[in-house]
């Protein structure tokens, strides 16, 4: 438990700006505490965080947006004081006070779970890494999502290994030690990371190596820059997003499987809680708001109260203007590809849409409910060839209210590729042309209308439309019309004496038209139709 020394208590406004807070604190002060109505210290702000926020140009924002809730600290205040804030001084304890609520108390070894959950050929590749590291006395750890998923006994396909040395040098050393089976695929000097591929009995195993690192952010939502590599494992964990993603597992022989959990990730995993590590986490990297949603829905976990509070503050204050939207795209894709109504609904109800486009109206009647979209996707899942595109159906529904110009802007902002762009524009076009669809006289016209659109775009329109006729047409097209075939082929036409040429296409199309419109059903009907057009001079 850390104790603060209460230096003085002063009364300040609840909405005091960060700039004014800094004026109150002297250089030796480490925190400004906030008392609740019971005179308990309910939250506090570290002067170090105030300094960082001011470097981010956030001087006019209220102090509460970066306040940390006191749950794990023993901070006493003299009850005779009536004022609402105190200043604390305890320089030695500042370093980890916010981010390390408690040291790991229970010893946990994950070897048995690792053996059970990690594929055999991946284990073999890891064994080569461990042996090589042991030979040079190098501590080596599995880190991040893989450790989380071993504890949860879930599949994980990304193996991230961290070491306190240069990851690039270690990767090259691996290649030299095992030249027949190990190859360095890529190296990134800025982050000192390397991608390595092992060939284990004919199977490729990819492992990402990283050096432990401390990161910094030049401005809110900017890309992180590496401040130091080769730092302690603890410092490397502190730069990460959530407690459950900030655990490591030793891969060295003597300690293999030992869990290293400085930040209480194991407890949070057991309790089902997604918790950020410091109050500036969402300001540094707002994509973590989407990541929190992704993990929360994927594992059915709740956001811890303080994390939710900071998420709201970040979204309300729009602290993401500098956000690199490609990062948003990647997280949005992973989140919506879970195909869970909850993701879409919470993007609207928790104001997360502001990260994508603040002008989306979450209360608009045009926007369908997540449950409707999920049901439609599940019902038509056999028609969706590439499940990786499911997220675009949800995204299109979020954009349903926007005009073509705005959709175009968003496509640019999210840097969508050409297929993704076509799917969104096509969905938007269907909705914009619903009046012409309603005027159609025949099923073939309906067929012609939809055949040039992507299934994902059509499903998006199906989710958005409230018109029964359009719903009927879309269902009819998806379940029947698009699969309609005819017996006649080019060969049949040649046999019947038609001259080969572009006319073949028109004739076959005409037969299909008659079939879709219900005028012909059997092969005999098709032959009869051909005789009619032969007489009408399609052929000699
Ligand atoms: N990370 C982070 N902040 C981000 C993205 C990632 O701190 N914005 C850290 C987390 O510690 C995470 C690790 O980098 O565990 C690897 O990132 P990623 O592969 O995206 O996450 P996983 O946890 O492996 O998630 P998933 O299972 O969805 O791949």
């Amino acid at each position: 438990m850390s104790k603060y020394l209460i230096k003085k208590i002063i009364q300040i406004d609840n909405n005091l700006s960060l700039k004014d807070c800094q004026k109150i604190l002297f250089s030796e002060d480490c925190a400004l505490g906030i008392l609740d109505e019971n005179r308990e210290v309910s939250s506090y702000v570290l002067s170090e965080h105030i300094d960082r926020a001011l470097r981010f140009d956030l001087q006019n924002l209220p102090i509460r947006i970066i306040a940390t809730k006191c749950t794990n600290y023993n901070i006493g205040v003299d009850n005779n004081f009536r004022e609402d804030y105190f200043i604390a001084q305890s320089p030695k304890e500042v370093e980890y006070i916010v981010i390390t609520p408690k040291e790991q108390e229970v010893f946990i070894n994950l070897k048995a779970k690792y053996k059970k959950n990690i594929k055999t050929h991946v284990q073999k590749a890891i064994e080569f890494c461990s042996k090589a590291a042991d030979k040079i006395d190098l501590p080596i750890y599995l880190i991040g999502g893989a450790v989380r998923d071993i504890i949860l006994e879930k599949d994980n396909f990304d193996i991230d290994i961290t070491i306190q040395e240069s990851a690039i040098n270690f990767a090259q050393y691996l290649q030299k030690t095992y030249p027949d089976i190990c190859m360095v695929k890529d190296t990134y000097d800025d982050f000192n990371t390397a991608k390595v591929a092992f060939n284990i009995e004919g199977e490729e195993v990819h492992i990402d190596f990283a050096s432990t690192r401390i990161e910094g952010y030049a401005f809110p939502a900017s890309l992180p820059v590496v401040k130091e590599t080769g730092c302690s494992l603890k410092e490397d964990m502190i730069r990460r997003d959530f407690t459950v993603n900030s655990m490591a597992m030793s891969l060295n022989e003597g300690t293999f499987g030992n869990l290293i959990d400085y930040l209480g990730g194991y407890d949070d995993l057991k309790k089902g809680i997604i918790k950020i590590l410091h109050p500036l986490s969402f300001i540094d990297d707002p994509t973590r708001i989407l990541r929190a949603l992704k993990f929360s829905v994927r594992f059915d976990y709740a956001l811890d109260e303080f994390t939710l509070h900071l998420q709201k503050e970040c979204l309300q204050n729009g602290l993401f203007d500098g956000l690199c939207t490609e990062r948003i795209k990647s997280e949005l894709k992973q989140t919506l590809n879970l195909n869970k109504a909850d993701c879409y609904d919470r993007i609207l109800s928790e104001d997360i849409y502001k990260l994508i486009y603040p002008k989306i109206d979450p209360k608009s009647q045009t926007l369908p409910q997540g449950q409707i979209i999920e049901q439609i996707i599940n019902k038509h899942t056999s028609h969706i060839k590439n499940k990786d595109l499911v997220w675009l159906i949800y995204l299109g529904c979020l954009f349903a209210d926007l005009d073509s110009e705005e959709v175009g802007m968003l496509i640019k902002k999210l840097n969508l590729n050409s297929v993704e762009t076509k799917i969104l524009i096509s969905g938007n076009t269907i909705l914009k042309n619903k009046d012409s669809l309603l005027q159609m006289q025949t099923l073939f016209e309906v067929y012609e209308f939809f055949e040039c659109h992507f299934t994902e775009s059509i499903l998006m329109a199906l989710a958005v439309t409230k018109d029964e006729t359009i719903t009927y047409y879309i269902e009819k097209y998806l379940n029947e019309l698009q699969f309609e075939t005819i017996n006649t082929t080019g060969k049949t036409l040649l046999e019947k004496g038609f001259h080969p040429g572009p006319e073949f296409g028109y004739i076959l199309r005409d037969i299909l038209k008659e079939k879709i419109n219900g005028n012909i059903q059997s092969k005999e009907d098709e032959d009869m139709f051909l005789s009619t057009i032969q007489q009408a001079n399609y052929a000699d």
Side-chain angles (χ1 to χ4, degrees):
M1 287 276 185
S2 305
K3 278 204 167 103
Y4 285 109
L5 166 73
I6 309 300
K7 199 173 103 183
K8 61 186 166 207
I9 296 203
I10 47 168
Q11 182 146 24
I12 49 178
D13 188 299
N14 194 23
N15 276 324
L16 190 74
S17 71
L18 287 165
K19 183 175 59 189
D20 291 333
C21 286
Q22 199 194 32
K23 286 186 197 149
I24 294 169
L25 290 166
F26 288 97
S27 59
E28 71 274 19
D29 298 328
C30 69
L32 185 67
I34 302 170
L35 304 188
D36 63 15
E37 64 276 11
N38 303 319
R39 316 294 305 143
E40 307 258 322
V41 183
S42 59
S43 52
Y44 62 92
V45 182
L46 285 189
S47 55
E48 162 198 339
H49 287 150
I50 297 179
D51 289 346
R52 268 181 67 197
L54 289 174
R55 280 205 300 279
F56 282 175
D57 216 17
L58 307 175
Q59 53 266 31
N60 295 322
L61 291 177
I63 187 160
R64 60 185 153 77
I65 78 156
I66 57 163
T68 300
K69 219 171 171 176
C70 298
T71 44
N72 297 296
Y73 305 102
N74 180 9
I75 305 178
V77 187
D78 184 336
N79 279 325
N80 293 325
F81 287 104
R82 293 251 154 263
E83 293 81 0
D84 290 336
Y85 289 82
F86 78 99
I87 296 176
Q89 234 184 352
S90 179
K92 280 200 198 92
E93 284 159 345
V94 176
E95 202 180 351
Y96 294 121
I97 192 150
V98 173
I99 37 202
T100 58
K102 54 181 156 172
E103 297 285 333
Q104 184 183 330
E105 284 153 11
V106 198
F107 172 78
I108 293 162
N109 186 283
L110 299 174
K111 195 169 178 176
K113 283 194 173 194
Y114 165 88
K115 292 262 170 220
K116 201 170 132 204
N117 289 292
I118 299 289
K119 296 206 166 63
T120 322
H121 57 282
V122 178
Q123 286 190 36
K124 283 190 181 155
I126 291 178
E127 209 178 305
F128 283 114
C129 303
S130 304
K131 282 201 174 120
D134 282 338
K135 228 191 248 176
I136 51 171
D137 269 342
L138 177 70
I140 177 168
Y141 307 95
L142 191 65
I143 196 146
V147 180
R148 174 199 70 215
D149 292 341
I150 287 172
I151 299 171
L152 291 175
E153 302 189 32
K154 290 193 190 291
D155 283 344
N156 186 296
F157 306 102
D158 294 336
I159 298 295
D160 290 313
I161 285 182
T162 197
I163 51 171
Q164 235 177 298
E165 289 292 330
S166 158
I168 296 179
N169 290 351
F170 185 68
Q172 280 156 357
Y173 161 67
L174 280 175
Q175 183 172 280
K176 223 165 147 192
T177 314
Y178 310 112
D180 300 336
I181 53 160
C182 172
M183 195 174 188
V184 179
K185 289 277 183 185
D186 258 321
T187 57
Y188 305 95
D189 290 340
D190 288 353
F191 283 79
N192 203 332
T193 57
K195 285 186 179 295
V196 171
F198 280 90
N199 185 324
I200 306 290
E201 292 146 19
E203 292 235 37
E204 276 233 331
V205 177
H206 294 268
I207 299 184
D208 286 349
F209 287 88
S211 311
T212 50
R213 64 177 185 263
I214 299 176
E215 289 179 346
Y217 295 82
F219 53 88
S222 61
L223 286 171
V225 287
V226 177
K227 285 170 119 182
E228 189 187 321
T229 55
C231 62
S232 71
L233 186 62
K234 195 168 182 173
E235 282 168 316
D236 182 83
M237 288 180 177
I238 286 161
R239 76 171 166 84
R240 291 172 184 270
D241 51 1
F242 309 112
T243 57
V244 294
N245 285 344
S246 306
M247 291 181 276
M249 186 190 103
S250 170
L251 296 176
N252 294 99
E253 198 186 0
T255 48
F256 195 95
N258 285 0
L259 176 71
I260 299 116
D261 175 23
Y262 297 117
L263 306 166
Y266 189 82
D267 271 0
D268 288 343
L269 214 50
K270 294 285 156 189
K271 283 192 226 144
I273 287 176
I274 305 292
K275 193 194 285 172
I276 48 164
L277 309 180
H278 61 84
L280 282 162
S281 185
F282 288 141
I283 296 176
D284 281 344
D285 180 359
T287 61
R288 288 177 175 163
I289 292 177
L290 276 168
R291 288 176 65 80
L293 174 64
K294 172 179 83 176
F295 292 121
S296 145
V297 172
R298 192 200 284 173
F299 301 131
D300 197 16
Y301 281 9
L303 261 63
D304 112 286
E305 203 189 322
F306 180 53
T307 302
L308 198 58
H309 158 78
L310 289 172
Q311 172 181 307
K312 271 191 201 145
E313 292 290 351
C314 178
L315 290 168
Q316 243 166 44
N317 290 289
L319 299 173
F320 39 79
D321 284 350
L323 184 60
C324 162
T325 40
E326 243 179 279
R327 294 170 75 203
I328 281 286
K329 177 191 165 184
S330 158
E331 290 301 341
L332 195 60
K333 182 174 171 180
Q334 292 179 49
T335 310
L336 293 176
N337 266 345
L338 291 175
N339 187 22
K340 294 278 183 204
D342 217 17
C343 289
Y344 171 91
D345 289 338
R346 281 172 59 185
I347 284 178
L348 291 172
S349 65
E350 293 178 14
D351 292 348
I352 299 173
Y353 67 87
K354 288 183 179 175
L355 289 176
I356 311 162
Y357 190 59
K359 283 193 198 154
I360 289 173
D361 174 7
K363 299 214 164 55
S364 160
Q365 294 300 311
T366 315
L367 274 52
Q369 286 175 352
Q371 200 192 7
I372 291 177
I373 312 172
E374 188 184 327
Q375 272 168 4
I376 283 175
I377 292 171
N378 292 340
K379 186 173 165 198
H380 295 280
T381 189
S382 61
H383 301 144
I384 305 172
K385 288 192 197 87
N386 182 355
K387 299 287 181 277
D388 242 18
L389 296 176
V390 157
W391 72 287
L392 292 165
I393 303 174
Y394 286 96
L395 189 67
C397 290
L398 283 174
F399 293 178
D401 236 1
L402 308 181
D403 60 36
S404 326
E405 203 181 317
E406 288 177 304
V407 173
M409 256 169 48
L410 271 165
I411 286 169
K412 215 167 152 196
K413 188 176 158 192
L414 290 173
N415 204 7
L416 299 189
N417 64 31
S418 82
V419 172
E420 294 163 345
T421 302
K422 282 181 195 154
I423 289 175
L424 278 191
I425 291 186
S426 164
N428 208 257
T429 310
I430 298 175
L431 291 169
K432 296 277 169 317
N433 288 308
K434 58 179 190 300
D435 289 343
S436 62
L437 189 55
L438 286 170
Q439 280 159 18
M440 284 174 185
Q441 306 288 321
T442 67
L443 283 178
F444 188 70
E445 283 178 77
V446 174
Y447 173 85
E448 277 190 311
F449 180 88
F450 285 117
E451 71 172 334
C452 57
H453 291 291
F454 290 87
T455 305
E456 292 78 10
S457 318
I458 299 173
L459 291 176
M460 179 204 132
L462 181 59
V464 174
T465 190
K466 294 185 175 64
D467 187 294
E468 280 179 20
T469 310
I470 294 179
T471 304
Y472 169 77
Y473 282 160
I474 292 181
E475 296 273 5
K476 185 87 183 162
Y477 174 79
L478 288 174
N479 297 325
E480 295 173 34
L481 304 187
Q482 67 166 332
F483 303 115
E484 199 63 85
T485 52
I486 54 173
N487 294 298
T488 310
T489 61
K491 198 168 158 227
T492 327
L493 297 181
L494 282 174
E495 283 165 8
K496 289 194 182 287
F498 286 85
H499 280 311
E503 287 80 12
F504 271 32
Y506 304 138
I507 298 170
L508 295 174
R509 186 85 177 162
D510 276 347
I511 300 174
L512 181 68
K513 178 177 172 181
E514 295 306 318
K515 187 141 188 221
I516 284 178
N517 285 339
N519 299 328
I520 56 180
Q521 268 108 34
S522 62
K523 186 172 180 318
E524 289 68 37
D525 291 345
E526 287 181 29
D527 288 344
M528 194 113 78
F529 178 80
L530 284 174
S531 320
T532 327
I533 55 172
Q534 238 165 350
Q535 285 161 17
N537 269 344
Y538 263 125
D540 284 341

